[in-house]
């Protein structure tokens, strides 16, 4: 079928709306007519180097239009959100941690199905797609059934997409991995969409001190309005400011920035026995720490996808959102799909909390 996709034609250049050919779903795949797709920092990063031509996008939500013969988890007409895919067969998958699938990179980041094919063709030639299980910058998407999560007809389809990546990642890092006890202290570094989801999860957990750290004062104001007890401006005075908020150090810290210098500050802000979650992926390939700052019983845990089982966690988060207890809708700005260039720029510069394209 002919569909419209935002195609990365040259890395580093804006995406271009193009008519592409989308093949039918294979036995284990689902065809989804898209309602919305969020723009995540990972899309913007991959758009600078991914092998073109390619279709990116990995926070899609929509309505199932067709399913392959072997698919029993969803049916045509179901409302769904999409997330990363996984093999379902390896030890991490079988023990409930599909984000740590042994084949995660091969299945999510090669632009191809495992057999080397692609569902998307441009001018008669297959192009890279299947990005994080979906390639959702298109009005129709082919996704493996494992990447498709039924969300019920009550969920807002113009909001549900980012629950498959950004919101799940930020909230899951707190609720699934750090698991702060009520009354504990937590500092979140970076108050973008992921950081805000972490702040909201800290509120849900009953943390008594929730510090948001960001150089952008508007983001800090948003984090404060959503439950952060302190806003810290980042920069040189950060360590001292955090020390004045939690003199013995924080019980938990979470880095969403991926910056090596920020991560070091985050670890050094921990109390003895404190736990640091690492979510952000940045340009620096290495992180370094003074040995004294980690020898003190501290733990550093890398986190992908919020450590979640998406089929369980995404509906839970959406139910919390519907109940007003996870109000991520307050940071969402919607754009028509045709304005993807403008939306991507707004996401890149941080003028919007979370950009969502609607179809
Ligand atoms: Zn993402
Ligand atoms: Zn696996």
């Amino acid at each position: 079928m002919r569909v419209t996709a935002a195609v990365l034609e040259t890395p580093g250049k804006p995406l271009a709306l193009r008519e592409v050919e989308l093949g039918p779903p294979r036995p284990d795949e689902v065809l989804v007519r898209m309602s919305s797709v969020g723009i995540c920092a990972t899309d913007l990063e991959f758009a600078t180097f991914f092998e073109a031509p390619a279709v990116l996008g990995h926070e899609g939500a929509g309505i199932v239009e067709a399913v392959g013969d072997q698919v029993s988890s969803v049916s045509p007409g179901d409302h769904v959100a999409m997330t990363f895919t996984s093999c379902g067969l390896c030890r991490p998958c079988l023990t409930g941690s599909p984000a740590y699938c042994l084949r995660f990179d091969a299945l999510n980041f090669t632009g191809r199905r495992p057999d080397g094919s692609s569902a998307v063709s441009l001018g008669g030639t297959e192009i890279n797609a299947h990005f994080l299980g979906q390639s959702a910058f298109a009005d129709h998407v082919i996704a493996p059934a494992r990447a498709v999560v039924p969300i019920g007809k009550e969920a807002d389809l113009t909001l549900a997409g980012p629950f498959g990546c950004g919101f799940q990642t930020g909230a899951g890092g707190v609720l699934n991995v750090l698991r702060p006890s009520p009354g504990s202290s937590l500092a979140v570094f970076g108050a973008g969409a992921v950081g805000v989801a972490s702040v909201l999860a800290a509120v849900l957990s009953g943390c008594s001190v929730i510090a948001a750290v960001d150089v952008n004062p508007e983001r800090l104001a948003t984090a404060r309005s959503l439950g952060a007890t302190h806003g810290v401006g980042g920069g040189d005075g950060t360590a001292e400011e955090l020390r004045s908020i939690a003199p013995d150090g924080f019980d938990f810290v979470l880095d969403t920035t991926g910056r090596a210098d920020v991560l070091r500050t985050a670890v050094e802000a921990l109390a003895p026995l404190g736990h640091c979650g690492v979510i952000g992926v940045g340009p620096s390939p290495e992180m370094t720490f003074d040995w004294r700052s980690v020898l003190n019983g501290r733990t550093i845990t890398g986190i992908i996808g919020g450590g979640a089982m998406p089929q369980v966690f995404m509906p839970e988060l959406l139910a919390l959102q519907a109940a007003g207890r996870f109000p991520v809708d307050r940071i969402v700005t919607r754009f028509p799909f045709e304005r993807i260039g403008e939306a991507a720029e707004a996401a890149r510069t941080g003028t919007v909390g979370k950009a969502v394209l609607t179809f």
Side-chain angles (χ1 to χ4, degrees):
M1 64 190 291
R2 303 289 291 175
V3 308
T4 301
V7 177
L8 178 71
E9 295 185 322
T10 307
K13 291 277 168 15
L15 306 177
L17 292 184
R18 295 282 180 259
E19 287 248 304
V20 299
E21 183 69 25
L22 186 66
R26 293 201 170 170
D28 62 343
E29 291 178 340
V30 176
L31 171 65
V32 179
R33 178 162 50 86
M34 299 292 292
S35 300
S36 72
V37 56
I39 298 178
C40 172
T42 307
D43 295 310
L44 304 177
E45 192 191 326
F46 271 72
T48 66
F49 65 80
F50 202 52
E51 190 185 333
V55 182
L56 298 169
H58 64 282
E59 292 187 341
I63 299 174
V64 175
E65 204 153 277
V67 302
D69 293 346
Q70 296 168 6
V71 176
S72 56
S73 52
V74 291
S75 308
D78 284 353
H79 291 198
V80 297
M82 288 175 278
T83 186
F84 60 84
T85 193
S86 54
C87 80
L89 301 171
C90 69
R91 184 179 176 84
C93 280
L94 290 171
T95 51
S97 297
Y100 306 106
C101 173
L102 297 180
R103 300 187 61 206
F104 192 87
D105 287 357
L107 292 172
N108 288 288
F109 294 125
T110 62
R112 301 283 160 164
R113 294 188 182 100
D115 68 0
S117 69
S118 171
V120 180
S121 301
L122 179 67
T125 305
E126 290 188 355
I127 65 171
N128 279 334
H130 304 280
F131 181 63
L132 276 158
Q134 40 189 301
S135 284
F137 290 156
D139 56 25
H140 288 74
V141 167
I142 293 283
R146 277 187 67 77
V148 176
V149 179
I151 58 173
K153 299 237 160 72
E154 318 76 41
D156 181 350
L157 278 175
T158 70
L159 186 68
F163 282 74
C165 184
F167 298 158
Q168 166 169 257
T169 294
V174 174
L175 296 175
N176 297 326
V177 182
L178 296 183
R179 296 173 168 268
S181 49
S184 57
S185 56
L186 186 148
V188 177
F189 290 74
V194 172
V196 164
S198 302
V199 166
L200 292 171
V203 173
L204 284 166
S205 302
C207 292
S208 57
V209 175
I210 305 169
V213 184
D214 201 297
V215 292
N216 182 327
E218 286 172 29
R219 287 182 166 189
L220 282 186
T222 302
R224 292 293 304 272
S225 74
L226 291 171
T229 58
H230 299 76
V232 178
D236 288 345
T238 302
E240 292 70 33
E241 210 170 329
L242 289 169
R243 193 59 66 182
S244 73
I245 296 167
D248 296 331
F250 283 82
D251 302 312
F252 301 93
V253 299
L254 191 67
D255 177 63
T256 71
T257 72
R259 288 181 44 148
D261 57 335
V262 174
L263 184 58
R264 185 174 176 125
T265 302
V267 169
E268 290 174 355
L270 281 171
L273 297 167
H275 191 174
C276 171
V278 182
I279 287 180
V281 179
S284 169
E286 290 186 354
M287 46 180 97
T288 58
F289 305 101
D290 186 317
W291 61 267
R292 282 165 298 195
S293 69
V294 288
L295 206 61
N296 209 357
R298 291 163 175 163
T299 306
I300 302 173
T301 304
I303 306 169
I304 296 173
M309 176 58 89
Q311 277 74 3
V312 177
F313 190 58
M314 286 164 60
E316 288 175 353
L317 273 187
L318 280 159
L320 285 165
Q321 187 274 324
R325 299 182 63 198
F326 186 66
V328 281
D329 41 288
R330 301 238 325 253
I331 63 163
V332 165
T333 302
R334 295 176 179 84
F335 298 78
F337 180 59
E338 295 70 31
R339 283 164 58 197
I340 186 168
E342 183 190 333
E345 189 58 17
R348 194 183 63 75
T349 56
T351 54
V352 299
K354 168 57 81 176
V356 173
L357 305 164
T358 56
F359 294 85

